[in-house]
Each structure stands twice: as C-alpha cells, then as structure tokens.
Amino acid sequence: MDIELQKVSYSYAKGTPFEKAALFGVDLMIESGKYHAIIGHTGSGKSTVLQHLNALLKPSEGIVKIGDEMIEAGKKNKKLRQVRQHIGIVFQFPEHQLFEETVLKDIAFGPMNFGVSEEEAYARAHEVIKTVGLDDSILQKSPFDLSGGQMRRVAIAGVLAMKPDVIVLDEPTAGLDPRGRHNIMELFSKLQKDHNLTMILVTHSMEDAARYADDLTIMHDGKSVLRGMPREIFKDVDKLAQYRLKVPHVVAFQMRLEQRLGSKLAKLCLTEEDLVDEIARAAKKVREES
C-alpha cells in the first residue's frame, strides 16, 4: 500500500487564538513494501506527519493518499475506519496501551473492534504471540505480570493481529537497553521482509535509520527537506548539519579513519559489520600490492 502526502500543511487549533502551524507543504512518498525512515530533530514535524499516515489527523491543506483512498483538506472521507484497519501504529512505550485482564483478550481487542469474530481474533492471538518470540502459554497471564520487554512484545502482537499492510513505528526502542533495542528492531526487520510489509520508522536515531531503512525522508521545521537512500543522505555531513542532525556513529568513525589514513574506503559503510568487512578488504589489497 503506497502512502503519499502532496503539499500537506497542518495547523493545530486552527482558527483559534492558539493556532500553531506544524507542517508546511510537505511532499512525501512511501512505496509499498519498502522500509522508510522519517528522521528529524525534536520539533521538526515528524510526529505530526506520523498522525497523517492513518488519518489520525487530516490536513489543513493538501492531500494524503493512502492506497486508493484520498484524504483532502476540507472534505469528508467516509472510509477512514477502513483505512485505519490496514495501518498499524506502534507508539512510543506501546506497553502503556495494554489494559485487558489477559494477554489473549488484549491482543484480540483490536481485531474484534473492527468486526472480526472472537474465534478468529483468538486464533490470530495464538499466531502472532509466536511471531513476536513469546510462548502462547503467556496468553492466559495478565499483561501487568510480565516483564517490560514482554509487555512491549505483547503490545506489538496486538498491532500485528490487525493484519496491517503498513506498520508505523514511533520511536519503538524508547526506554530499552542496547540489547532490547537490537532485538526489537531485528524483529521488525524480519516481519517486514517475511510479510512484504510497508514499514515506516519515525525516529531520531541515525543508527537505526542507517541499518534498516531503504529510503529516508528528513524533516526540518515542518518541511520535508531531503529524500534519498541512506548512503546518499549520510555522505553529506555539512548538509545534515544544516538541519541540526549528525551522521551515524559508524559513518563518523569511518570519516575520521579515512582522514587519518589519507585515503577513502571503497564505499560508505552504514553498519559496524560493513565497516569491519570493508577495512579487512582494504588491508588485504594493501598487502597484495606491497
């Protein structure tokens, strides 16, 4: 399912003395089946964009296209409920959304709210709990008796039970330690590849964007200012600095290394693994030539 924003502007409390403009003519294209990251500093507008991706907010100006549906400023759309059924959002600290007495009921709540039978919703719960790496014996427990990591996985399972075509991740690793962060991001990456999902990561983490995204959009002061592949975006340190952003740590390390060596590696590396491999190849080439 493609999602496109065309010249979208948005103001909070529009028409009141408290009106505040948040987006200015934003153009954004997210292709079906791709892993797209939206990054920017605090206040850049990325969270407001996120809320347009499943019509939680409707544009003050412009058009949002979600699949075949068009959401236009000033016009009503009677199919918003149907649109939202196909787009799951994993908010920051999703475990705070848990509320039912058992994990089973919590996961089944969303599908049942959209008309799925109890039998089918429970069957989905048994399926997705394994998808997120938990045993289905946990389904009979209270979600509030679980560890923080388990609660987050249960909340993610609740989103997956909706069988969305698009998953939007709003800072999904907030509050996690490095190991937990890695495990959750690897889970989303596997889901995206295995099910050909459209995955949208809204984050301030350059590292996560570099490692996982196919395409990036940079937001700055309510505008979409850059779009491209991670390797293209992160090679321009000066351009990113204009938008108060830094390159990922591994890219910064590579650039410092190249400066000391007085020569460049064959490619810009976006992960530690890639950098290690590239340094090994460069060292081997030097040995062969000497």
Side-chain angles (χ1 to χ4, degrees):
M1 177 181 287
D2 290 345
I3 298 178
E4 185 176 4
L5 275 64
Q6 299 177 355
K7 304 299 179 187
V8 168
S9 297
Y10 183 78
S11 295
Y12 290 98
K14 189 173 177 63
T16 76
F18 305 101
E19 181 173 337
K20 180 176 174 57
L23 298 180
F24 305 90
V26 171
D27 289 315
L28 174 63
M29 179 66 193
I30 299 169
E31 297 178 38
S32 180
K34 291 291 186 71
Y35 199 131
H36 193 103
I38 301 173
I39 56 181
H41 57 81
T42 301
S44 63
K46 60 184 187 295
S47 294
T48 305
V49 166
L50 178 152
Q51 294 178 77
H52 281 78
L53 299 179
N54 77 337
L56 287 174
L57 295 177
K58 292 191 285 186
S60 301
E61 298 177 19
I63 298 172
V64 178
K65 293 177 69 177
I66 301 174
D68 296 327
E69 294 302 318
M70 188 175 297
I71 302 163
E72 264 185 278
K75 294 185 179 181
K76 291 185 177 180
N77 187 305
K78 298 180 179 179
K79 296 183 179 180
L80 293 185
R81 180 179 171 86
Q82 182 179 330
V83 166
R84 290 166 181 155
Q85 188 174 357
H86 294 285
I87 301 177
I89 297 183
V90 179
F91 290 102
Q92 286 189 50
F93 304 104
E95 58 271 22
H96 294 173
Q97 299 167 237
L98 302 175
F99 66 95
E100 282 281 11
E101 59 183 343
T102 66
V103 170
L104 177 64
K105 290 183 178 180
D106 215 303
I107 295 173
F109 176 83
M112 291 172 64
N113 190 46
F114 279 97
V116 173
S117 70
E118 182 181 277
E119 181 181 7
E120 169 64 16
Y122 283 4
R124 290 187 187 185
H126 280 274
E127 177 185 348
V128 297
I129 200 67
K130 295 174 183 175
T131 301
V132 298
L134 297 174
D135 190 271
D136 61 7
S137 62
I138 208 171
L139 291 170
Q140 301 308 319
K141 295 184 178 181
S142 165
F144 307 106
D145 290 336
L146 306 179
S147 69
Q150 289 173 324
M151 290 174 74
R152 185 160 299 197
R153 287 175 182 264
V154 166
I156 294 167
V159 173
L160 296 179
M162 300 290 295
K163 294 189 178 295
D165 299 307
V166 179
I167 295 181
V168 182
L169 310 174
D170 181 17
E171 301 284 4
T173 61
L176 296 178
D177 60 27
R179 182 176 180 180
R181 171 179 155 180
H182 173 78
N183 289 342
I184 288 293
M185 291 306 298
E186 286 294 311
L187 169 63
F188 286 126
S189 180
K190 186 175 188 303
L191 286 171
Q192 191 265 334
K193 292 172 183 174
D194 290 351
H195 301 281
N196 195 35
L197 295 171
T198 304
M199 195 76 72
I200 305 168
L201 174 65
V202 180
T203 185
H204 68 276
S205 171
M206 303 297 106
E207 284 68 34
D208 288 343
R211 179 177 288 273
Y212 297 105
D214 299 311
D215 297 296
L216 303 179
T217 293
I218 305 291
M219 294 293 300
H220 177 72
D221 290 349
K223 300 175 183 178
S224 52
V225 292
L226 279 179
R227 160 77 190 268
M229 297 173 66
R231 197 163 270 114
E232 297 170 348
I233 296 291
F234 290 133
K235 71 182 179 182
D236 196 336
V237 178
D238 294 334
K239 177 69 73 173
L240 286 172
Q242 292 178 22
Y243 305 126
R244 305 203 296 275
L245 297 174
K246 296 180 179 179
V247 296
H249 296 312
V250 66
V251 174
F253 179 84
Q254 178 179 342
M255 290 177 173
R256 289 195 300 270
L257 177 65
E258 289 173 339
Q259 191 173 23
R260 286 196 174 191
L261 295 175
S263 63
K264 289 186 174 294
L265 298 176
K267 69 174 184 179
L268 188 70
C269 300
L270 300 177
T271 67
E272 291 85 351
E273 297 89 343
D274 280 350
L275 183 57
V276 169
D277 290 343
E278 194 59 38
I279 290 172
R281 278 193 289 270
K284 181 180 179 182
K285 183 179 179 181
V286 169
R287 287 197 301 269
E288 291 173 347
E289 292 175 351
S290 60

